[in-house]
Amino acid sequence: MCGIAGCFISGAISKEIVDKTLNSMRNRGPDNQNVISFRLNEKNIYFFHSRLSIIDLQKRSNQPFKFRNYTLIFNGEIYNYKEIRAQLIKLGYRFKTKSDTEVVIKAFSAWGSNSFKKFVGMWSIAIWDDKSKKLFLCRDRFGEKPLYYIFENGELYFASELKTLRILYNKQLKINFKKIRDFLFKGY
């Protein structure tokens, strides 16, 4: 399935890190890759996406996907997207694609973070709201589609694969032996 990654950081990312990040995601989706960035005061937001086209194979469904003040990157599948789409049409929304991607972003436009409660499926989602200047991250209830993240010194890095997160973070990661002990001896 698709791959997503992103960060909310001070400063900019080098072209080398952008290229390495996208290259690390190529196996997740060979059909399209893209990166987009936003500026918020002294911070930069980057969204990376690698697409494996399954629903609506057209370019119109490539990501990052924009609607109004929202930008979305999404990995997974919403099984009940047709039912949610029908609800949104009743609310006056119109659709240009046949993708679950467009349904996700328009559901978020209609219901905000409550839209996640309506989804049945597997997903990891990142949405940037340019109006409220907020970043929303969400994954499915069982973590079937992973969303790894690092939050450190007011900066956030996230990705759907650890190898991509390591490249984007671009710093040495340390093993947390206490958490390994907790997992081995306590089961969590």
Side-chain angles (χ1 to χ4, degrees), residues 66-71 105 109 127-132:
K66 292 184 171 201
F67 176 69
R68 296 184 181 154
N69 49 295
Y70 304 107
T71 304
I105 200 166
S109 172
I127 298 174
W128 172 250
D129 180 348
D130 202 44
K131 187 175 181 182
S132 71

Side-chain angles (χ1 to χ4, degrees), residues 179-188:
K179 293 297 179 186
I180 291 173
R181 269 192 311 276
D182 287 348
F183 178 75
L184 292 174
F185 294 109
K186 297 177 184 174
Y188 59 85

Side-chain angles (χ1 to χ4, degrees), residues 27 31 33 39 42 51 59 68-70 81 84 90 96 108-109 114 117 119-120 140 149 152 164-165 170 173 177:
N27 66 309
D31 299 321
Q33 287 193 304
R39 184 110 174 111
E42 291 84 41
R51 182 174 184 215
K59 289 181 182 180
R68 296 184 181 154
N69 49 295
Y70 304 107
Y81 79 96
I84 294 171
K90 287 181 182 176
K96 296 178 181 178
F108 189 83
S109 172
N114 286 327
K117 296 175 186 174
F119 300 157
V120 175
D140 62 85
Y149 67 92
E152 182 179 86
T164 301
L165 183 62
N170 198 29
L173 296 175
F177 290 102

